[in-house]
Amino acid sequence: MEASGAPGLTALLTGAMAFSMLQLFLLGALGPRLVGELGVSPAVLGWTTTVGFGTAAVLSPLGGRLVDRIGPRRSLVLLLSVSAAALALIGAAPGTGLLLAAVALGGLPQALANPATNKAILAAVPPGRRGPVTGMKQSGVQLGAFAAGLPLTALAGGIGWRGAVWTAAATAALAALWARRALPADPRTGPVGPRAPLVPRGAIAWLAVFSLFLGCGIASVNTYVALFGAQRLGMGPTAAGSLVAVLGVAGIAGRVGWSKAARPGRAEWLPGALAAGAVGAAVLLVAAPGAGPLVWVAAVAVGVFAVAANAVSMVLVMQRSAPGRAGQDSALVAAGFFTGFAVGPLLFGPLANAGRYGTGWLLVAAEFGAACVVGLTWVLRERRR
């Protein structure tokens, strides 16, 4: 790859991150339609996120090693191709069984996303540009949230939710062709770095635990905020889906801005501080039924603080990884994040089924608070050394 960080490479990596998680943002944004038209219960809606991210968490350590072995180009083409297949299957699902199977298939792109894109940045982008490029490509996840929450939700209002999902599948397939044509061939397969330990160590272990708690909270908001808007705040399906879009736009700005600020010596403090801001965002969701506009402020705050914290953690991984281990270390931290995404909606789902959204948002605040404690404890230990 060219050592440039050119706009074309940044755009491709951003798109790959967007498609890696688009299916789950779509299921959250289309939640009111799925509950009404497909007969999916709120608890099953949470299970889609649990299955998808549970699969990603299991596959992540293997995905990181695969990326280190086959190279970023092959990995990105595989990521986008499987994303297209998973979205196509979701659009064809007649009921819960095939829906969950398609979501499980979508766990593979999630497992490949961070290792493949981080590996591409280390190979192609000068060190001084890696922070901004990482922030931009990490914002691709939130670009996916925006696409699911606004244009695709609006499209679903015209051609149905299946047509909207199939449109996303076709776009992912085109992106796979773009990656194959735009990126130079990977070098011949050679020896890879030492096998990653089953349990991460040092800074990678702290970042993995931080990401686990952070993922719990973010996943619950992504999965249930649209349904919350529809069931508790009286919003229509399109307006409720727009909450996911607003969160996505705020997440893009937060990830780009905070990743630029994540320079060595400063970056270590950011995860804990951003998680503290995310606690405030969850409290706003608790108060939203008494003051409807607060839900929009909360969506923005989740994007600016919680979502941005994940991008900062990936900048820290690249700063701390040993040579030849970027893919594996990225995968271990991502595995913690994906585990959180699997667990969070599983805990929130029964509360949503019972209509106890206030209790659910307090649980989210506690999860963000735990992430804050882990982040600040780690940096204080680092300073004492």
Side-chain angles (χ1 to χ4, degrees):
M1 287 192 181
E2 299 175 357
S4 62
L9 174 63
T10 303
L12 179 58
L13 299 181
T14 302
M17 293 296 295
F19 281 113
S20 72
M21 286 179 55
L22 180 60
Q23 56 163 346
L24 295 171
F25 286 122
L26 264 176
L27 291 171
L30 298 175
R33 299 183 189 276
L34 293 173
V35 168
E37 297 175 27
L38 199 61
V40 173
S41 72
V44 170
L45 191 64
W47 268 103
T48 61
T49 302
T50 297
V51 168
F53 282 99
T55 305
V58 171
L59 294 179
S60 281
L62 297 176
R65 190 160 182 83
L66 177 67
V67 169
D68 282 337
R69 181 175 294 278
I70 70 174
R73 179 185 183 235
R74 296 186 188 96
S75 300
L76 289 169
V77 171
L78 178 62
L79 181 163
L80 292 163
S81 299
V82 177
S83 294
L87 286 164
L89 287 175
I90 289 172
T96 301
L98 185 56
L99 182 67
L100 292 176
V103 169
L105 177 63
L108 177 59
Q110 295 168 58
L112 293 174
N114 280 302
T117 53
N118 286 355
K119 193 86 169 179
I121 288 172
L122 288 173
V125 180
R129 289 277 301 148
R130 287 173 185 168
V133 173
T134 301
M136 181 59 70
K137 70 94 174 173
Q138 289 294 127
S139 75
V141 175
Q142 302 318 119
L143 180 62
F146 172 79
L150 194 59
L152 289 171
T153 298
L155 186 62
I159 65 174
W161 71 268
R162 294 185 190 275
V165 175
W166 284 329
T167 299
T171 307
L174 291 175
L177 293 175
W178 176 29
R180 183 176 178 82
R181 294 175 61 89
L183 296 175
D186 293 308
R188 287 182 177 274
T189 301
V192 297
R195 186 177 297 275
L198 293 177
V199 178
R201 299 171 184 171
I204 302 303
W206 283 96
L207 290 171
V209 175
F210 169 83
S211 297
L212 187 153
F213 288 114
L214 188 73
C216 282
I218 294 175
S220 296
V221 177
N222 284 343
T223 305
Y224 287 107
V225 71
L227 200 61
F228 170 64
Q231 293 185 344
R232 283 290 173 268
L233 305 181
M235 302 169 70
T238 301
S242 297
L243 288 169
V244 180
V246 167
L247 191 157
V249 172
I252 292 171
R255 286 187 160 188
V256 173
W258 289 115
S259 293
K260 286 182 178 179
R263 298 183 178 89
R266 179 192 299 170
E268 294 83 357
W269 291 98
L270 289 178
L274 293 174
V279 173
V283 171
L284 290 177
L285 287 170
V286 175
L294 283 181
V295 72
W296 299 99
V297 180
V300 171
V302 170
V304 169
F305 295 113
V307 171
N310 174 245
V312 170
S313 71
M314 283 298 155
V315 174
L316 283 164
V317 169
M318 284 190 284
Q319 290 175 357
R320 298 302 183 97
S321 289
R325 283 286 303 273
Q328 297 175 60
D329 287 346
S330 298
L332 290 171
V333 173
F337 190 61
F338 294 151
T339 301
F341 258 74
V343 171
L346 194 62
L347 299 175
F348 199 108
L351 297 173
N353 258 5
R356 297 170 59 191
Y357 282 99
T359 304
W361 299 133
L362 287 174
L363 174 63
V364 169
E367 291 160 350
F368 287 147
C372 176
V373 170
V374 171
L376 293 179
T377 301
W378 170 62
V379 74
L380 291 173
R381 285 171 60 94
E382 290 280 298
R383 292 291 173 177
R384 282 198 294 268
R385 289 181 181 179

